[in-house]
Amino acid sequence: MVIVISSIMVAGCTLSPSAPGIPAGNMTVSTTPAPLSVIPLITNLAPVQLSEDCNRTIPSGNGEPFILINPISHHYIGDTITFDGVTSLPAGETISLVIFEAVYHSCPKSQIAIDDSVRHCHSGLRDTVVVSSGNCGIGTWSWEVNTSQHDFVKDQGYFISASGGGDRFVENTSFFTVSGIPKSNITLNLPENDPHENAIRFSGQVNNGNGQNETLHLTISSDSGKQVSCTIPVSHDETGYYWNYSLKKSDIVPYNFLTVNVSSATSPEISIERIFLYNNEPVYYPYDPYGP
């Protein structure tokens, strides 16, 4: 997976009175997520593109039956995911669906097998849906799955497979991930120095169910008495919902350490506070980027 964090517009910042002092250090701290190892499976077919006059592009093999799975966005443990897509199968036909772990592992012999678990040793989470009528003679289907159930595991990859068609059997498979960031939480990454802008960059992720409708309050205080307060938006990419803010060092020097607090504007009890030294190292080890 590749985590992409882009710059965002920041508004509503206020500064405390300035004071003379010494500049901060320039040590850069960054982290790189470990790659996820998965079992290769069926490659996704491109989604059907429909226009107003019903001209469309379908998978190779014109006239052959197909089932397509729409792209699946990033989700967190606890989310209810709506899987959906289109198909050449007529309305009333049944599509069989199954979700299973992307990385195979055995289960203890003492563990009781159940029918609605995504684990390999339980044959995956299975269900059926009925095709509904769609535009231009193309059928549609959808399936809702609650990731707080069915043995979903944080930071794990999964495959969803859709199949049907009877004698003209057709199948398609798609890969998705479920993040381990729990519901109603804000994270704060280790700060990073930007030598080109003489700034400190703060960033993290947020997940409290409001998506990009959320606004965060950020307060950065130094031991010299200086303080910066900002209201910052939440953005979204393939890694989920995230935030970031670049603080000019001239707005906060002098300092030996910074206290950083990030909280939800809609739910102030959802917050995180951490203290960092002048070189961006955390005061306490090991560093925990998650809020309480």
Side-chain angles (χ1 to χ4, degrees):
M1 297 186 293
V2 179
I3 299 180
V4 180
I5 300 181
S6 59
S7 299
I8 58 174
M9 298 296 294
V10 178
C13 300
T14 59
L15 306 179
S16 63
S18 61
I22 58 174
N26 287 317
M27 179 181 293
T28 300
V29 180
S30 61
T31 57
T32 302
L36 176 65
S37 175
V38 300
I39 301 173
L41 212 65
I42 302 173
T43 302
N44 275 7
L45 297 174
V48 172
Q49 305 295 325
L50 297 178
S51 63
E52 292 295 327
D53 60 359
C54 295
N55 290 328
R56 59 184 182 268
T57 301
I58 63 175
S60 58
N62 193 11
E64 294 297 319
F66 62 85
I67 297 174
L68 299 183
I69 302 171
N70 288 332
I72 305 165
S73 61
H74 185 83
H75 286 276
Y76 302 99
I77 287 289
D79 285 349
T80 295
I81 305 177
T82 299
F83 302 96
D84 54 15
V86 294
T87 178
S88 61
L89 300 178
E93 283 269 2
T94 298
I95 292 178
S96 297
L97 297 157
V98 58
I99 296 175
F100 51 92
E101 294 171 311
V103 178
Y104 178 82
H105 62 84
S106 60
C107 295
K109 293 182 179 180
S110 60
Q111 191 168 356
I112 300 174
I114 53 179
D115 295 331
D116 65 347
S117 172
V118 294
R119 297 178 181 173
H120 273 286
C121 53
H122 295 160
S123 300
L125 170 63
R126 297 174 179 271
D127 204 349
T128 59
V129 296
V130 176
V131 177
S132 299
S133 298
N135 295 330
C136 309
I138 300 296
T140 64
W141 62 270
S142 66
W143 182 35
E144 289 191 350
V145 174
N146 187 342
T147 59
S148 64
Q149 305 170 7
H150 315 298
D151 295 327
F152 280 92
V153 178
K154 66 179 182 178
D155 301 325
Q156 177 67 283
Y158 297 91
F159 286 111
I160 175 174
S161 175
S163 62
D167 293 338
R168 303 185 70 191
F169 180 80
V170 63
E171 182 179 25
N172 196 6
T173 302
S174 184
F175 175 78
F176 66 98
T177 58
V178 180
S179 171
I181 297 179
K183 274 290 187 182
S184 301
N185 213 323
I186 297 174
T187 72
L188 174 58
N189 299 327
L190 290 172
E192 296 180 314
N193 280 327
D194 183 348
H196 301 290
E197 299 293 334
N198 195 28
I200 308 174
R201 187 168 179 271
F202 299 92
S203 64
Q205 289 186 285
V206 57
N207 182 33
N208 69 345
N210 293 330
Q212 289 181 260
N213 295 324
E214 181 59 81
T215 301
L216 302 179
H217 293 317
L218 171 66
T219 301
I220 304 169
S221 306
S222 77
D223 57 319
S224 67
K226 280 196 160 187
Q227 184 179 87
V228 175
S229 296
C230 291
T231 299
I232 55 178
V234 171
S235 297
H236 182 266
D237 62 12
E238 67 271 17
T239 68
Y241 296 100
Y242 69 92
W243 64 273
N244 61 37
Y245 174 72
S246 291
L247 170 70
K248 292 183 179 179
K249 291 183 179 179
S250 59
D251 292 339
I252 205 71
V253 295
Y255 69 92
N256 294 310
F257 61 85
L258 298 175
T259 301
V260 182
N261 182 283
V262 189
S263 63
S264 163
T266 57
S267 304
E269 70 277 5
I270 303 173
S271 65
I272 183 172
E273 182 172 288
R274 294 290 183 267
I275 299 176
F276 301 100
L277 301 175
Y278 73 94
N279 58 3
N280 297 342
E281 291 183 356
V283 173
Y284 301 104
Y285 289 89
Y287 179 68
D288 178 12
Y290 296 91

